[in-house]
Amino acid sequence: MSVTIKEVTEAFEFFYEALHSRDFRKTLPLNKMSERELLPLVRTYLLGYFWDVAPEVRSSLPGTLTGEGSIDFVVGDVAIELAVRRPKDSKRFLSDLHNATEIKKLMKHKGLAVLILLDFSAKPFSDADIERYRDWPSLGKGNHKKSPFNVAYFYREKRATKCIQKNIRV
């Protein structure tokens, strides 16, 4: 099954909008959940949307004792890492430094990759904040083969969903 970054981004845009819709979430505080709490919901959502989802896929992660990590989801060929900032969390939860391990896993993935950032706070990142993802982390000693990845940052502004997308070439 061939899946594109655009299709994954559109799926997450729909998901993000639904999390904010009172008609959808009813009494559940879906727009206040952490990444850990949202991961099972995202897993089932992606399964229903794409039918081809592999969760927690083992991947290369330089700089760790085992040299391995796990990518949140792989849909078709597209590796997906998810990061969430709750309404009262600081900016660091979506910063490039805080998500360095996710970036490394995406850079080592052979194929398409996207980092999805869901921001539920009232103070969204600027374009310059997302631009910092271009300063990718070191993979350590050795000659590493690196792949480009994409960043899709979702936030709300004046009750409308906005998205900043960047293609990060390494």
Side-chain angles (χ1 to χ4, degrees), residues 61-97:
L61 180 56
T64 61
L65 290 175
T66 62
E68 287 188 345
S70 62
I71 293 174
D72 291 338
F73 307 100
V74 175
V75 176
D77 274 359
V78 181
I80 302 169
E81 279 290 331
L82 180 69
V84 176
R85 178 180 171 201
R86 293 181 295 189
K88 296 187 184 200
D89 285 346
S90 70
K91 278 189 162 187
R92 88 178 158 87
F93 283 93
L94 295 183
S95 72
D96 57 321
L97 297 174

Side-chain angles (χ1 to χ4, degrees), residues 14-73:
F14 184 69
F15 181 72
Y16 183 77
E17 286 179 1
L19 294 179
H20 283 285
S21 169
R22 229 178 226 297
D23 292 336
F24 176 74
R25 62 183 159 91
K26 298 290 183 187
T27 59
L28 285 174
L30 297 175
N31 58 342
K32 293 180 176 136
M33 290 183 166
S34 68
E35 176 182 348
R36 188 174 192 89
E37 295 167 325
L38 278 178
L39 279 173
L41 298 175
V42 172
R43 181 186 294 191
T44 54
Y45 170 72
L46 291 175
L47 179 62
Y49 198 95
F50 292 107
W51 290 70
D52 179 22
V53 177
E56 301 175 29
V57 176
R58 301 305 297 165
S59 69
S60 174
L61 180 56
T64 61
L65 290 175
T66 62
E68 287 188 345
S70 62
I71 293 174
D72 291 338
F73 307 100

Side-chain angles (χ1 to χ4, degrees), residues 8 10 70 100 138 159 169:
V8 170
E10 287 172 353
S70 62
S138 170
R159 296 185 164 221
R169 298 202 183 274

